[in-house]
Amino acid sequence: SVLRRYAMACPAMPTCGLAVAESERFLPDVIGELEQRGFGNERVWIRMSGCPNSCSRPPTAEIGIIGRSLALYNVYIGGSFVGTRLARLYREQVRANTLVDLLAGLLEQWRRERADGEAFGDWAARTLV
C-alpha cells in the first residue's frame, strides 16, 4: 500500500543493543492494522525508532514514533513529508496496544478537516501542534 511504502523503522530489538522498544518487527503490524481500517492509500510518512537515538529519523516524519521503554512510545506529529520541518511531541508514553487507535483517530480527523491536497504533516502542524 501507499502507507506501507512510506513507512520506515530502525532494526531495534533484538538487533540493536541500544533499543528499548520494538520497531522493525512492530511497525508492519501497525501499518497492517491501519490498512485494514482503510488508510492504506494515504501518503503519510511514518517513521519508527526503538530508542531516542532515532536512527530512522522519526523527528522529521509526519508521524514519528520513538520507543521510550518496553511497549511504550512517544508520538510526534507535524513534520514535513520532505523532511524540512521537525515534528513536535503529541503524546508521551503511548502503550503499544493503544498506538493504532491513536494513529487511526488522527488520520480520520485529518481526512475530515484537511484542505484540498493538504499533507498530513502540514495539517498537523497547522492545527494540532
Side-chain angles (χ1 to χ4, degrees):
S1 71
V2 176
L3 188 66
R4 190 173 298 271
R5 178 173 187 235
Y6 290 105
M8 180 190 301
C10 73
M13 299 171 119
T15 306
C16 179
L18 301 174
V20 294
E22 290 284 352
S23 181
E24 185 180 51
R25 296 187 302 183
F26 181 50
L27 186 58
D29 295 339
V30 171
I31 298 300
E33 188 68 32
L34 291 172
E35 288 168 338
Q36 288 180 358
R37 295 184 188 200
F39 299 107
N41 290 325
E42 301 295 352
R43 190 186 88 154
V44 178
W45 195 268
I46 300 175
R47 294 181 178 176
M48 182 179 230
S49 179
C51 78
N53 287 328
S54 300
C55 293
S56 59
R57 301 182 310 278
T60 63
E62 292 181 289
I63 298 174
I65 305 163
I66 300 176
R68 181 177 171 97
S69 183
L70 192 58
L72 282 177
Y73 298 89
N74 287 349
V75 176
Y76 295 78
I77 61 170
S80 70
F81 189 82
V82 294
T84 57
R85 178 181 55 239
L86 290 175
R88 295 195 181 170
L89 182 62
Y90 178 69
R91 287 270 161 52
E92 286 186 277
Q93 299 186 35
V94 176
R95 296 202 177 279
N97 62 349
T98 64
L99 184 61
V100 172
D101 290 335
L102 175 73
L103 298 180
L106 285 169
L107 292 170
E108 191 60 49
Q109 186 178 355
W110 166 60
R111 279 182 169 172
R112 285 191 315 268
E113 299 175 0
R114 68 182 170 189
D116 283 342
E118 187 174 29
F120 177 86
D122 296 337
W123 168 80
R126 179 175 61 82
T127 62
L128 298 177
V129 293

